[in-house]
Amino acid sequence: MQDPLRLQDYPIASHTLPSKSAKGGWQVPKRLQRVLSLADFEEAARRHLPAPIFAYISGGCETDRALRSSEDAFADYDWVPRAFISTSHRSLSTTLFGERWAAPIGIAPMGVSALSAYRGDFIQTQAAAAAQIPAIMSGSSLIRLEDIAAANPKAWFQAYVPGEPERIDALVDRVAAAGFKTLVVTADVPVSGNRENNIRARFTTPLRPSLRLAWDGITHPRWLFGTAFRTIVRHGVPHFENSHATRGAPIIASSVMRDFGARDHLNWTHVQQIRDRWKGRLVIKGILSPEDAQMARQYGADGIIVSNHGGRQLDGAIAPLRALPQVVRALGPDYPVMIDGGFRRGSDVLMALALGAKFVFVGRPFNYAGTVAGQAGITHAIGILATEMARNMALLGVLSPSELGPQHLRRRHGS
């Protein structure tokens, strides 16, 4: 009898190059065998993409302090491993909302992914389905949410709540009709963050054609022909497809910002409106304070995602990992607290789990992986994280993610 396919058996190198296949049938394409970390994908994407598009994906807002802080927070702790514990039967398998997943990791929502990789959201959700992990589709996607739900019935949908009650209802009804079972409502976008780095890099919304932008495309021919021309030829000019119940404006239209206007009047009564109408699982994303975490639970959220929007909204916002312990204490150990922001290594994921998170979502690295190598690249990135987690669980002396706890960490003095 053949052993079941396990994500943790993906053949990533440790001190030698990986083999072409592994136990369970995972295969690494030859061109990816020397991609050994998520950082390798970022550097490859930097070379592959026109500078404005890479800047949009990689940047935060203002001074990028919140962006840097999210990654720096992992240095606040050191690991305390245990010795001589048999971990030969360890497994990454994790249950969330009553569903069993191959690992406690998922793909975070990322807007306009189809601008950096051909059918970016589609290949993300397909790779997630094949790896048996969740993927969250972004409300600012350039691909119809119905297409994603059809490709991956277990995908989640993330919504930017419209400003008017009737448009909220219409969007919720559309998501339900498409077949999504989990709705993620983003809480940290009353207005758009000050992303002046995008303007300096010549990335604007709407995307304005120019001689400089054309030159950026010409000097990156793999992106120009493999993503930009291929998309236009096969699917036409990209539109913001999912901001409302109806199709939004083209990405180059001057009217596009009307779909992303200020939402600074939205409040918890609108969350109640969504909860009353939405019959599936409801998750609130963008929570950093214990008080808001308790409010989310009070208004019917089935779980929350601790997040500072990838450092793209409020510069100087607390790092999600630093906010996590207080949020977990406020809600108790059984409530589904999830997290995203700054995760680049399997050890980062394990650290969040030790601090009380039930699940970790990762964004930019999967975008870079899809940019460089399509769906195979995303699968490879998932495999990198999974194998790093499995290896480090053995080194820590734990059999499953649920065994991780504060006893495995020591906070560094002064952090």
Side-chain angles (χ1 to χ4, degrees), residues 36 43 238 286 303 353 408:
L36 306 181
E43 287 307 307
L353 300 177
H408 294 104

Side-chain angles (χ1 to χ4, degrees), residues 59-80:
C61 65
E62 296 183 354
T63 67
D64 281 346
R65 185 158 68 95
L67 178 64
R68 293 192 302 271
S69 179
S70 293
E71 297 186 21
D72 293 344
F74 298 100
D76 290 357
Y77 297 91
D78 291 320
W79 288 110
V80 183

Side-chain angles (χ1 to χ4, degrees), residues 373-395:
Q375 184 176 332
I378 299 167
T379 296
H380 192 62
I382 295 169
I384 288 172
L385 271 184
T387 53
E388 287 179 348
M389 292 169 64
R391 181 182 296 119
N392 288 335
M393 282 169 56
L395 295 171

Side-chain angles (χ1 to χ4, degrees), residues 25 30 37 66 123 169 212 245 268 281 299 306 330 341 374:
K30 185 175 181 179
S37 72
I123 59 176
D169 286 348
R212 183 60 185 267
W268 287 104
R281 287 184 292 266
Y299 277 87
V306 178

Side-chain angles (χ1 to χ4, degrees), residues 117-160:
Y118 178 70
R119 304 297 279 170
D121 306 87
F122 199 80
I123 59 176
Q124 287 170 17
T125 206
Q126 287 183 311
Q132 300 177 57
I133 65 171
I136 309 176
M137 182 190 188
S138 172
S140 57
S141 169
L142 305 177
I143 297 175
R144 295 172 66 249
L145 63 88
E146 289 83 1
D147 296 340
I148 300 299
N152 181 1
K154 289 189 175 182
W156 302 6
F157 181 79
Q158 171 262 328
Y160 292 108

